[in-house]
C-alpha cells in the first residue's frame, strides 16, 4: 500500500494514541514503494518457514514411523488374512510382536548384523527423522511468544504547557532555562498527552508544588509500570509466572536494593530457582542487550525467558540550569515493556515472531564514552548530560553495527555492490581522490523498521542516511508523538504500532522487522525478527 499523505511534508498532528493513517487519506506525491510478487516470493527465507513447522513435522513423522512398524508386524503375523483391529487378542499379539521385534533389533546391533529386522520403508523414515531432528537442533530457535507495553492512565498525562508549569514550580530553573526547555519541547516531536509519574506530576497540585523524588515514589512508579506490562505479557503469551526460567530486567538509572528482579519474583510468585539478571547503566539500547542475554542463556537450556525494559523517571528529574543536563527533562517519559521468549520447538506454531539476528556494537573512544554521562553540574545537581557530539558518535556506531549485520541479512547482489564500492574507494584514495561510499539498501531485506524514538533529529537522520520511505519511519514518529522517549522500551511501542495500527505498510506473515537502538557507552544494538 502507498504511504499516507503528509501535511506540508511534516507528520500530521493527530490525537494521542491514534494511527497516522487516520489523519488523512489524500493523494501523495511520494513515490509508491512497490515490489513485484515474484520478488516478494524470492525474499522469503523458506528455511525459517520450514524450521518453524519442523517440530510438528517431526511429530507427524514419528506417527508415520510407528504406523509403518505396526504395519510391518501385522503383515508378518497375518499376511493377507483379515485382521480384527479393535479386538483385545489382536492388540496383545501385535504388542508382543513389536516387543520381540525391538529385542531382535537390539540383538542385531549387539552382534553387528545391522538393521535387517526392519523393512526398507521403516529404515528410510527413521533416517529422515534423525536428519530432520539434527537440522532443527542446529537451528536453536528463539521465539517471541508475546509482549506488552505500559499504557499510562490519563491522570499521568501532560501537555507541553503543563510540563513547563511543573518545571516552574520546582523553583530552581531560571527564565533562560525555562525558555530553553520550551524551545526543545516545541521541536521534540512529542505530543500533547505523554506520561509523567505521579511523584513529579504532583507539582501541578497547589498543595504539593515540589516533585517527590523519594525512594518510595520511585518504587511506586516501578511497581506500577513493571507489574502492569509483565501481567499483560504473560497473559498474551499464555504463560504462567512459574513457567519462567530466566528473568532479565534492564533499567539504567534506578537500581534499588532489593533489585527490580526480586520485586517481580516476589509479586508474581515465580519459582525459587528462576535465574534473575538486573542490568543498569546501559541506556536506551538495553532492551536488545537483554534479549541477546536471554538468547545466550536459552542456548544452554530449554525453557522460557521474561525480559522487562523500562526507565524510572521519578528520581531523575534534573534541578539545575546547565543546558547539557536540561534536555533529559524535555524528552524522557514513563514507559515500559515486557517480552516473553521461548526456545521450545513446540512453541513455534503459536509464537508471534522468531528472532533471527542480534548485533551489538560499542564505541571504545573517549567521545563515545562521555556523550551520554551521568554526573553533577557545577552546583552539585545530579543529572544526565547529553554531549553535542552525540549525533556524530551515534552515526559512526550505527555504521559499524550495520556493517556487522549486513552480511547476515542483505541479498548477495547488495553485498557485491558494497564490496565493489569499497574497492573503488580504495583505488581512488591511492590517487588522492574521494569516492562516495555505497549505502546498501536494507529495504530489500527488511520490511519494517523500529528506530529508537530518541528524538525527531535521530529519526530524521536515520531515515535520510538509510534512504527509507516515510512509512518506514512512521512507527518511530508516532511512538515519539504518543509516548515520548521511553528509553529502552520505545522499540516495543513501535513494534506494537506496526502490529496493530499501521495501515500504510501493514504487517504480514513472513515479514522481517529490524529494531535499532542507541545507548550510553556509546552503544548501538540491532535485532531482526521474522513474523510467524
Amino acid at each position: 500500500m502507498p504511504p499516507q499523505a503528509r501535511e506540508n511534508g511534516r507528520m500530521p498532528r493527530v490525537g494521542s494514541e491514534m494511527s497516522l493513517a487516520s489523519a488523512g487519506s489524500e493523494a501523495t506525491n511520494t513515490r509508491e514503494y512497490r515490489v513485484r510478487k515474484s520478488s516478494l516470493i524470492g525474499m522469503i527465507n523458506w528455511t525459517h518457514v520450514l524450521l518453524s513447522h519442523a517440530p510438528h513435522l517431526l511429530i507427524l513423522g514419528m506417527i508415520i514411523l510407528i504406523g509403518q512398524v505396526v504395519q510391518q508386524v501385522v503383515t508378518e503375523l497375518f499376511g493377507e488374512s483379515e485382521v480384527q483391529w479393535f479386538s483385545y487378542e489382536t492388540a496383545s499379539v501385535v504388542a508382543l510382536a513389536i516387543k520381540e521385534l525391538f529385542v531382535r533389533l537390539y540383538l542385531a546391533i549387539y552382534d553387528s548384523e545391522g538393521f535387517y529386522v526392519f523393512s526398507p520403508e521403516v529404515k528410510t523414515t527413521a533416517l529422515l527423522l534423525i536428519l530432520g531432528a539434527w537440522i532443527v537442533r542446529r537451528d536453536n530457535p528463539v521465539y517471541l511468544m508475546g509482549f506488552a507495553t505500559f499504557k499510562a492512565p490519563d491522570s499521568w498525562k501532560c501537555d507541553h504547557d503543563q510540563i513547563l508549569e511543573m518545571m516552574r514550580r520546582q523553583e530552581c530553573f531560571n527564565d533562560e532555562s525555562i525558555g530553553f526547555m520550551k524551545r526543545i519541547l516545541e521541536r521534540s516531536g512529542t505530543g500533547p498527552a505523554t506520561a509523567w509519574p505521579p511523584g513529579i506530576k504532583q507539582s501541578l497540585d497547589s498543595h504539593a508544588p515540589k516533585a517527590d523524588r523519594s525512594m518510595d515514589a520511585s518504587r511506586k512508579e516501578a511497581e506500577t509500570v513493571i507489574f502492569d506490562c509483565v501481567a499483560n505479557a504473560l497473559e498474551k503469551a499464555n504463560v504462567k509466572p512459574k513457567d519462567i526460567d530466566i528473568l532479565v530486567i534492564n533499567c539504567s538509572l534506578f537500581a534499588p536494593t532489593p533489585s527490580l528482579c526480586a520485586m517481580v519474583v516476589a509479586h508474581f510468585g515465580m519459582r525459587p530457582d528462576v535465574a534473575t539478571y538486573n542490568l543498569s547503566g546501559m541506556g536506551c539500547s538495553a532492551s536488545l542487550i537483554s534479549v541477546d542475554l536471554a538468547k545466550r542463556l536459552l542456548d544452554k537450556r530449554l525453557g522460557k525467558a521474561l525480559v522487562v525494559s523500562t526507565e524510572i523517571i521519578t528520581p531523575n528529574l534534573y534541578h539545575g540550569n546547565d543546558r547539557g543536563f536540561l534536555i533529559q527533562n524535555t524528552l524522557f517519559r514513563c514507559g515500559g515493556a515486557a517480552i516473553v521468549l521461548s526456545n521450545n520447538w513446540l512453541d513455534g506454531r503459536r509464537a508471534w515472531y522468531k528472532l533471527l539476528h542480534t548485533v551489538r556494537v560499542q564505541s571504545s573512544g573517549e567521545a563515545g564514552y562521555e556523550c551520554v554521562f551521568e554526573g553533577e553540574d557545577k552546583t552539585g545537581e545530579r543529572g544526565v548530560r547529553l554531549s553535542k557530539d552525540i549525533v556524530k558518535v551515534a552515526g559512526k556506531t550505527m555504521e559499524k553495527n550495520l556493517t556487522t549485520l549486513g552480511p547476515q541479512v542483505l541479498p548477495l547482489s547488495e553485498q557485491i555492490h558494497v564490496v565493489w564500492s569499497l574497492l573503488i574507494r580504495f583505488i581512488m584514495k591511492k590517487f588522492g581522490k574521494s569516492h562516495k561510499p555505497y549505502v546498501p539498501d536494507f529495504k530489500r531485506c527488511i520490511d519494517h523498521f523500529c528506530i529508537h524514538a530518541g528524538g525527531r533529529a535521530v529519526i530524521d537522520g536515520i531515515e535520510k542516511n538509510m534512504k527509507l520511505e516515510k512509512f518506514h519511519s512512521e512507527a518511530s514518529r508516532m511512538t515519539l508523538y504518543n509516548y515520548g522517549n521511553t528509553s529502552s522500551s520505545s522499540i516495543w511501542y513501535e513494534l506494537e504500532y506496526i502490529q496493530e495500527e499501521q495501515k500504510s505498510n501493514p504487517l504480514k506473515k513472513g515479514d522481517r522487522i529490524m529494531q535499532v537502538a542507541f545507548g550510553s557507552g556509546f552503544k548501538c544494538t540491532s535485532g531482526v525478527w521474522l513474523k510467524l
Side-chain angles (χ1 to χ4, degrees), residues 30 86 184 284 456:
T30 307
F86 298 102
I184 294 294
C284 304
R456 193 172 65 180

Side-chain angles (χ1 to χ4, degrees), residues 406-431:
Q408 302 179 54
V409 297
L410 286 171
L412 183 60
S413 59
E414 282 297 307
Q415 295 188 48
I416 292 174
H417 275 109
V418 174
V419 173
W420 179 251
S421 174
L422 292 174
L423 180 60
I424 296 296
R425 190 178 183 184
F426 176 77
I427 295 173
M428 296 291 284
K429 191 174 182 180
K430 292 291 184 181
F431 291 96

Side-chain angles (χ1 to χ4, degrees), residues 207-274:
H207 299 290
K210 295 292 182 69
D212 181 3
R213 297 185 289 168
S214 66
M215 181 62 75
D216 286 342
S218 302
R219 282 189 184 275
K220 184 176 180 181
E221 180 192 348
E223 291 172 354
T224 304
V225 173
I226 294 175
F227 292 167
D228 177 81
C229 57
V230 167
N232 289 331
L234 293 175
E235 182 181 1
K236 290 181 178 180
N238 194 23
V239 171
K240 297 178 181 178
K242 291 188 179 295
D243 295 335
I244 298 298
D245 302 288
I246 299 166
L247 172 63
V248 183
I249 298 182
N250 65 267
C251 181
S252 288
L253 296 173
F254 182 61
T257 300
S259 68
L260 297 176
C261 283
M263 181 183 78
V264 171
V265 170
H267 180 79
F268 288 94
M270 294 181 175
R271 299 198 318 267
D273 64 339
V274 61

Side-chain angles (χ1 to χ4, degrees), residues 218-362:
S218 302
R219 282 189 184 275
K220 184 176 180 181
E221 180 192 348
E223 291 172 354
T224 304
V225 173
I226 294 175
F227 292 167
D228 177 81
C229 57
V230 167
N232 289 331
L234 293 175
E235 182 181 1
K236 290 181 178 180
N238 194 23
V239 171
K240 297 178 181 178
K242 291 188 179 295
D243 295 335
I244 298 298
D245 302 288
I246 299 166
L247 172 63
V248 183
I249 298 182
N250 65 267
C251 181
S252 288
L253 296 173
F254 182 61
T257 300
S259 68
L260 297 176
C261 283
M263 181 183 78
V264 171
V265 170
H267 180 79
F268 288 94
M270 294 181 175
R271 299 198 318 267
D273 64 339
V274 61
T276 61
Y277 301 85
N278 216 101
L279 307 183
S280 63
M282 291 190 163
C284 304
S285 65
S287 187
L288 287 174
I289 292 176
S290 299
V291 169
D292 182 68
L293 173 61
K295 171 189 172 184
R296 294 171 186 266
L297 294 171
L298 287 173
D299 280 344
K300 307 298 182 182
R301 61 189 295 183
L302 190 67
K304 291 180 172 60
L306 174 64
V307 173
V308 182
S309 300
T310 188
E311 193 58 76
I312 304 306
I313 307 298
T314 298
N316 296 301
L317 184 69
Y318 173 63
H319 275 61
N321 290 284
D322 189 314
R323 289 194 174 188
F325 291 87
L326 283 172
I327 298 176
Q328 73 173 77
N329 288 0
T330 59
L331 281 180
F332 292 100
R333 302 289 190 274
C334 289
I339 306 99
V340 180
L341 303 173
S342 171
N343 67 340
N344 191 323
W345 299 343
L346 299 179
D347 287 334
R349 286 279 292 178
R350 64 187 184 94
W352 294 9
Y353 302 91
K354 179 182 177 182
L355 181 61
L356 302 184
H357 309 285
T358 54
V359 174
R360 53 185 293 186
V361 171
Q362 180 158 333

